[in-house]
Amino acid sequence: MATPVPLPHPPQIPAADPEALRAALPAALREEFDAEWVQVLDRAKQSHSLREIHDLLSKWQHTAAMEIRDPGSYQRLLEKAAQIEAAGGRSTAVSIEDMRALIQQRLQAG
């Protein structure tokens, strides 16, 4: 009988905590996080709401997890978005109405 091969451990996802996220991010992204963090804290002081802080931490938690799994993926995502924007948008994009019609078709066929 063959010896089972152990599965690799999934990468640890950092907590949605500023200190943990900073530690998990590469230096270039840490600078971007810090700049956004300062802006969101200033807005939270004015609004007396923590919602934007939670949203920012969630966004960067996903970004950090993506970078841990595939280093450089965030930069590649930004580059792809810039290419799409420079080309005037996605040429293969489907309107929301067409997408809803397609979903409805599939549900009825189902």
Side-chain angles (χ1 to χ4, degrees), residues 1-2 6 10-11 22 24 28 34 36 41 46 52-53 55 61-62 69 79 82 90 93-94 103 105 107:
M1 176 176 225
R22 286 190 88 252
D34 288 345
E36 288 185 28
L41 285 179
Q46 298 299 315
E52 282 190 71
I53 292 173
D55 291 347
Q61 184 180 35
H62 290 286
R69 275 189 237 111
E79 290 167 1
R90 287 190 63 120
V94 177
I103 291 169
Q105 252 181 348
L107 287 173

Side-chain angles (χ1 to χ4, degrees), residues 89-101:
R90 287 190 63 120
S91 60
T92 60
V94 177
S95 73
I96 190 69
E97 292 81 16
D98 290 344
M99 186 56 68
R100 286 184 179 136

